[in-house]
Amino acid sequence: MTRHTFILLIVAALILTSCGERLYHTAYQNLSHSQWDNRDTLLFDLPPSDHDIDLAITLAVRTTKPFAYRDIVTQLDLIRDGRTLSSTPITITINDYPEPELTGFLTRERHSTPYALHMEANHQYSIRVTHRMRLNPLDHIPTVGIIVE
């Protein structure tokens, strides 16, 4: 390997690592029978931090067929040390443009816009997610998750 090639590899690695968001935590929960009932309490425990930290939480929904609605309205409850601090409605757009039937892929994943979270040091935080749709249960949803950056 030449010195020039080595330097290019180092520069490329630095660019790739500096541009990306830092993943703090990710978790997914599978739903029985690919149905999301609004009584299902999806609870995601976040790893504690030893210092105050600002994070962004994104909800993720996987579907197995074209979903009948454009959006899913969810509720995100922020829990700290067993007490609910806040409840926020979050909309996840499932069908934002015409899309053909799924071919070749069994599922597709859609994300909410990020939700800001300030996590204080040495506290246990959890995220509780439910859906607020009139149709219940929601079919063709095998998995719901969170991505924390």
Side-chain angles (χ1 to χ4, degrees):
M1 179 184 311
T2 67
R3 183 174 182 214
H4 182 67
T5 305
F6 180 73
I7 291 172
L8 284 175
L9 287 174
I10 295 295
V11 169
L14 288 173
I15 290 172
L16 288 175
T17 58
S18 67
C19 293
E21 291 288 327
R22 296 216 168 170
L23 183 63
Y24 181 78
H25 180 71
T26 185
Y28 288 81
Q29 292 188 21
N30 293 326
L31 304 173
S32 63
H33 309 293
S34 292
Q35 292 182 327
W36 190 7
D37 191 294
N38 64 10
R39 294 170 295 197
D40 291 338
T41 300
L42 305 177
L43 192 63
F44 301 93
D45 292 326
L46 301 180
S49 176
D50 58 357
H51 60 281
D52 289 4
I53 187 171
D54 290 314
L55 300 168
I57 299 171
T58 302
L59 297 182
V61 172
R62 293 180 182 152
T63 59
T64 56
K65 286 189 173 185
F67 193 68
Y69 294 96
R70 182 175 188 265
D71 301 316
I72 297 175
V73 178
T74 67
Q75 179 174 315
L76 183 145
D77 297 328
L78 176 61
I79 301 166
R80 184 178 74 189
D81 300 328
R83 299 182 70 183
T84 302
L85 294 180
S86 64
S87 294
T88 305
I90 294 182
T91 300
I92 303 170
T93 300
I94 302 297
N95 295 313
D96 54 352
Y97 52 88
E99 188 168 330
E101 288 284 329
L102 292 173
T103 57
F105 296 101
L106 297 177
T107 63
R108 66 179 173 190
E109 184 168 306
R110 297 291 191 246
H111 300 107
S112 70
T113 56
Y115 173 78
L117 165 65
H118 177 76
M119 223 169 80
E120 295 177 3
N122 304 314
H123 289 278
Q124 177 59 50
Y125 285 84
S126 299
I127 303 296
R128 181 174 50 222
V129 180
T130 55
H131 82 75
R132 294 291 166 230
M133 303 290 286
R134 284 188 293 194
L135 177 66
N136 193 50
L138 298 176
D139 291 326
H140 309 298
I141 300 178
T143 310
V144 176
I146 62 167
I147 302 164
V148 184
E149 298 175 306

